[in-house]
Amino acid sequence: MMNFMERTLIKDITNKKGQLVLLKGWVDTRRDHGKLIFIDLRDRSGICQAVFLPKTDIYEKAKDLRGEWVIELEGQINERPKGMENSKLPTGLVEVEAKKLNIINSAKTLPISIDTDGMEIGEDSRLKYRYLDLRRERMQKNIRMRHQIIQFLRNFLSQRDFIEVETPILTKSTPEGARDYVVPSRLQAGKFYALPQSPQQYKQLLMVAGLERYFQIARCFRDEDTRGDRQPEFTQLDVEMSFPTQDEILGLMEELYVKMTETLFPEKRFIKPFPRLTYKEALEKYNSDKPDLRKDKNDPNELAYAFVVDFPAFEWKESEKRWDAVHHPFTKTQNPDNLPEKEFIESLKKNPDKFLAHQYDFVCNGYEIGGGSIREHNPNILQSVFEIMGNKTEAVKEKFGHILEAFEYGVPPHGGIATGIDRFVMIMMNEPSIREVIAFPKTGDGRDLMMNAPAEIDEKQIKELHLKLK
Ligand code: ASP
């Protein structure tokens, strides 16, 4: 009907006084005031008030309008009458005098209300109707801010010569300490892909490939039992660089998070430079390896970033009766006495608990928001680390032969870090859970209530995948 006119976004109407504009969006609310009908119209940019005057053609049509109907509205932008301004709305000085109305879509009454912050609604309903839940202002803010954060990360790192590389989702198990999600292969009967717990090995192999500076906004998958705020899939900023010192990596992260916080969240206060504590100090002083260094924990605008460094390399896993890497096996063990390779390996095998790792965590307000390490690029030492962790020599070849071999073709020293995006957005937006900052999160027990996943698959698929269900 009115497509000869170009659409105006609601945020732009204020400086179009006297002009005719075409708006498109959702009816936020409708109010009848005596002879006048008012609606609030909402689009991605904001909300404005439209008024339908009596004795016009569209007045009757406007009587039908209900919340969440999708409409096109042509109208004239007028200054609001004196005393009728709404200082709470950015468009509150003007209103739209409706001239033409096109109802694009009506809407049933929504199963959940969207004009509150939503915290009073059961989470199951919110997740089932997530596409409606996301219409609420709080969620719109969160999802849009998340985008800005990701844009900032991408721009910052690109400007510093990092390039973003996508790594596979269908891959092979890589140890980060959690259970893998597996995908059966149809073409290779009886074989399975694993979804990446992180791109750890790929990013290291990109260093062997000579890319030198890599990052990725990477999805990671970890099949863990429900613990508080975990999600089966989460997003991290994954970074790797060649020829780095630990200080360079931490310095880069510090500059990134300082600039990002100052740019996107000017209301936040934090201490610069970020304190650096050793793991030992953190435990002794704060009884935690992710201490909350805020002075006033009730202040929503106080942040306390810090780095914790010098973690132990190995810890004894009583349940499995074996040593495990505290970070992951690719982490370089510190060799403070500069022992030659053979002696170092012997000593490491004898007393794994005596060694520290070139590992660091990044914490904020008592949360671990990132972690990384300088990597062990000596294939002989790396092989021993796998053995210390209880792998038989043959099993190491089978599981990690590719990376050990890669390290024999000219490997640069390298290291990196990964920082969690979900948790960071959560902290910055003062949200109680990462589910509030993920567009389509899963429930605590791993279900997507909107899509109804996980779901059964049919007989035919099961057969094709060479599976038998118990
Ligand atoms: N792969 C590690 C993790 O996901 C991070 C790293 O070491 O760079 O925690």
Side-chain angles (χ1 to χ4, degrees), residues 72-323:
E72 290 177 310
L73 185 72
E74 203 180 294
Q76 181 176 315
I77 309 300
N78 295 333
E79 221 158 275
R80 289 204 196 183
K82 275 266 158 320
M84 306 297 272
E85 301 89 350
N86 179 350
S87 60
K88 286 195 201 109
L89 271 190
T91 61
L93 292 179
V94 297
E95 64 184 5
V96 187
E97 184 188 327
K99 302 281 189 196
K100 284 186 194 165
L101 168 67
N102 180 28
I103 295 172
I104 299 177
N105 262 313
S106 62
K108 293 206 265 183
T109 305
L110 303 193
I112 55 172
S113 66
I114 60 167
D115 52 0
T116 62
D117 69 6
M119 293 304 197
E120 76 290 358
I121 307 169
E123 198 176 36
D124 281 9
S125 312
R126 290 184 56 206
L127 293 182
K128 174 158 184 217
Y129 294 103
R130 189 58 154 187
Y131 49 89
L132 301 177
D133 190 51
L134 289 173
R135 284 186 192 170
R136 76 180 72 253
E137 197 187 335
R138 181 172 64 90
M139 296 305 282
Q140 291 271 321
K141 264 199 199 139
N142 288 350
I143 300 299
R144 289 174 192 282
M145 184 48 84
R146 184 182 174 114
H147 163 76
Q148 279 187 269
I149 288 171
I150 290 177
Q151 276 309 91
F152 195 99
L153 299 171
R154 285 205 157 105
N155 289 337
F156 178 95
L157 289 168
S158 305
Q159 279 161 12
R160 279 155 188 79
D161 220 15
F162 284 80
I163 62 160
E164 183 164 16
V165 183
E166 291 158 272
T167 54
I169 294 295
L170 292 177
T171 174
K172 189 175 162 181
S173 180
T174 193
E176 293 277 359
R179 211 177 278 111
D180 290 321
Y181 280 99
V182 294
V183 179
S185 161
R186 179 177 62 82
L187 296 175
Q188 313 294 327
K191 302 225 164 127
F192 295 80
Y193 300 97
L195 305 184
Q197 291 188 35
S198 85
Q200 185 61 39
Q201 295 189 61
Y202 284 109
K203 68 172 170 176
Q204 292 194 242
L205 291 166
L206 287 172
M207 298 304 104
V208 181
L211 286 166
E212 289 201 31
R213 291 183 153 216
Y214 144 97
F215 79 98
Q216 182 178 191
I217 305 297
R219 200 68 69 81
C220 304
F221 305 85
R222 298 184 190 178
D223 189 359
E224 291 172 300
D225 291 330
T226 330
R227 247 198 291 157
D229 207 18
R230 305 249 170 143
Q231 281 281 302
E233 51 184 305
F234 58 91
T235 309
Q236 64 185 26
L237 167 68
D238 199 40
V239 176
E240 194 76 8
M241 56 202 283
S242 295
F243 312 107
T245 60
Q246 177 166 312
D247 269 353
E248 269 174 282
I249 296 173
L250 299 187
L252 178 81
M253 284 296 119
E254 179 159 345
E255 194 196 342
L256 168 55
Y257 277 78
V258 165
K259 291 228 163 94
M260 181 159 65
T261 309
E262 287 176 347
T263 308
L264 299 180
F265 302 94
E267 71 282 8
K268 305 269 184 198
R269 294 181 309 275
F270 56 94
I271 293 171
K272 283 186 298 192
F274 299 171
R276 295 185 189 183
L277 307 140
T278 64
Y279 173 83
K280 194 162 164 263
E281 280 167 354
L283 284 193
E284 280 169 6
K285 265 201 184 150
Y286 304 98
N287 202 18
S288 165
D289 62 359
K290 37 178 192 286
D292 187 345
L293 302 179
R294 280 178 297 178
K295 294 215 171 61
D296 175 3
K297 300 193 176 45
N298 296 315
D299 176 354
N301 288 330
E302 184 177 351
L303 297 172
Y305 293 111
F307 292 112
V308 180
V309 302
D310 295 338
F311 278 73
F314 298 96
E315 65 194 345
W316 180 251
K317 240 188 167 172
E318 185 54 35
S319 58
E320 297 175 27
K321 300 262 182 284
R322 66 175 183 91
W323 291 101

Side-chain angles (χ1 to χ4, degrees), residues 364-381:
C364 181
N365 295 6
Y367 293 100
E368 180 196 329
I369 60 167
S373 59
I374 301 295
R375 322 302 182 187
E376 182 55 73
H377 65 271
N378 175 324
N380 299 331
I381 300 176

